[in-house]
Amino acid sequence: MTWTAAGEGYEIALVEGRVAARPTGGRSAGRQLKTLPKALRDHPEVDRLHRLIAWLDRHAAECLAQVDTWMVSALPVPTALIARVWPDSAWREALRDVVVSGEHPDETGFLRDVTASGELRVVDLDGETLRLAPRTVTLPHPVLLPDLDDVRDFAAELGVVQRVEQIHRATWHKPAGLAPEATEVGDYAGGVFPSRFGLAGRATGLGYRVSGGHATCAVRDPGRAVAAAVWIGEPYWEDEQSTGALTWHDEDGRAVRLAEVGPVAWSEGMRMAAALYAGRRIDEGRDA
């Protein structure tokens, strides 16, 4: 925290995510003020710090989004890259306490720190501290973690707080006995919204992409990239609109049979469909 002169008689600095000021003279010299003086609100240095705060907020959001993408994509992440970005507080907050896996099944645990030599310091599920230095690690999706309930219990004991939703992420497991040719899931179809605009707004607000008549999310199971899609209606449709069926498509746009959908793609697709459906209009009263 560096205090910078701003106008006559004041210094300003970035303190806990906001612009703070303190007088440089008088009985209150050096004492941080509770609010920003009116005389400073339009000062160029104050504007510069406000723009810096906005950039830092965007950067933090981008770091969280990237770590989330690594988790749902099942892509290996270079250990050297994690070590390189760790000194950045936004990256560190996004990565700390995520579950990472090394080259062997017993090299799985919560990422607590990165050593000066670039090793990852991980607390495994037995409470032992490991130092991992594989070429790459993965951030496993929770649907792939065995004994997820035990992992959650241990995380509570350890005081783990994840910025990226991983171990407490809602998960769905694909049921057995699906029809061999089936390509749609209708569990969350039929959720009525006052307008297509409102349904599309809910999708984008939840972080999903709206493309044409669908809300979509890209997912990668080991070895295969697919997109989950929920029908939300034709663009510019002004009347009420209902959520449609959930489907999956490959990189060429072809429908994927449910039997061929991988565990991560199934869970993330169902998560999206459930989240959209949860915002539906619920009628109340005798005729509801």
Side-chain angles (χ1 to χ4, degrees), residues 5-275:
E8 292 187 10
Y10 290 104
E11 292 178 325
I12 60 172
L14 191 59
V15 180
E16 297 181 351
R18 68 180 185 88
V19 180
R22 68 183 185 186
T24 58
R27 296 178 62 183
S28 299
R31 184 182 304 170
Q32 184 177 319
L33 303 177
K34 293 182 179 180
T35 59
L36 196 66
K38 186 176 180 179
L40 292 180
R41 291 176 187 171
D42 295 324
H43 194 280
E45 285 298 316
V46 173
D47 180 65
R48 181 181 66 83
L49 286 185
H50 280 309
R51 286 186 280 113
L52 175 60
I53 290 170
W55 182 88
L56 290 172
D57 288 343
R58 290 195 302 271
H59 176 56
E62 289 167 358
C63 293
L64 284 170
Q66 183 60 68
V67 175
D68 187 82
T69 298
W70 287 339
M71 182 188 63
V72 300
S73 68
L75 291 173
V77 181
T79 302
L81 173 60
I82 294 178
R84 179 72 177 271
V85 302
W86 188 261
D88 183 325
S89 61
W91 276 108
R92 190 165 59 250
E93 290 179 10
L95 285 164
R96 181 183 282 127
D97 286 336
V98 297
V99 177
V100 298
S101 294
E103 297 173 346
H104 305 289
D106 57 351
E107 294 181 341
T108 297
F110 295 100
L111 177 61
R112 305 310 300 267
D113 202 358
V114 176
T115 68
S117 61
E119 295 177 311
L120 308 185
R121 189 167 67 84
V122 171
V123 176
D124 70 13
L125 304 184
D126 293 322
E128 300 294 331
T129 298
L130 308 176
R131 290 184 179 232
L132 305 182
R135 189 175 63 85
T136 62
V137 294
T138 58
L139 283 58
H141 189 280
V143 79
L144 301 177
L145 290 172
D147 304 319
L148 181 57
D149 287 339
D150 292 339
V151 174
R152 289 169 174 167
D153 289 342
F154 179 67
E157 294 176 8
L158 197 62
V160 162
V161 178
Q162 293 186 324
R163 291 291 307 280
V164 171
E165 193 177 22
Q166 185 188 33
I167 62 171
H168 293 294
R169 197 180 193 90
T171 58
W172 281 258
H173 293 271
K174 186 167 68 173
L178 294 169
E181 300 302 318
T183 59
E184 296 183 351
V185 175
D187 294 21
Y188 297 106
V192 179
F193 286 74
S195 68
R196 194 267 187 187
F197 177 80
L199 180 49
R202 179 169 179 81
T204 55
L206 291 168
Y208 297 113
R209 181 184 177 191
V210 173
S211 178
H214 292 88
T216 67
C217 67
V219 189
R220 179 181 292 273
D221 274 294
R224 186 177 198 182
V226 299
V230 172
W231 175 254
I232 61 171
E234 295 289 352
Y236 311 114
W237 180 256
E238 296 182 357
D239 296 333
E240 71 176 26
Q241 178 64 50
S242 299
T243 54
L246 167 65
T247 57
W248 287 264
H249 300 84
D250 64 18
E251 292 177 295
D252 295 321
R254 294 186 295 261
V256 178
R257 290 193 290 267
L258 300 186
E260 299 172 357
V261 176
V264 176
W266 180 275
S267 186
E268 287 299 301
M270 293 292 284
R271 179 174 179 264
M272 175 176 66

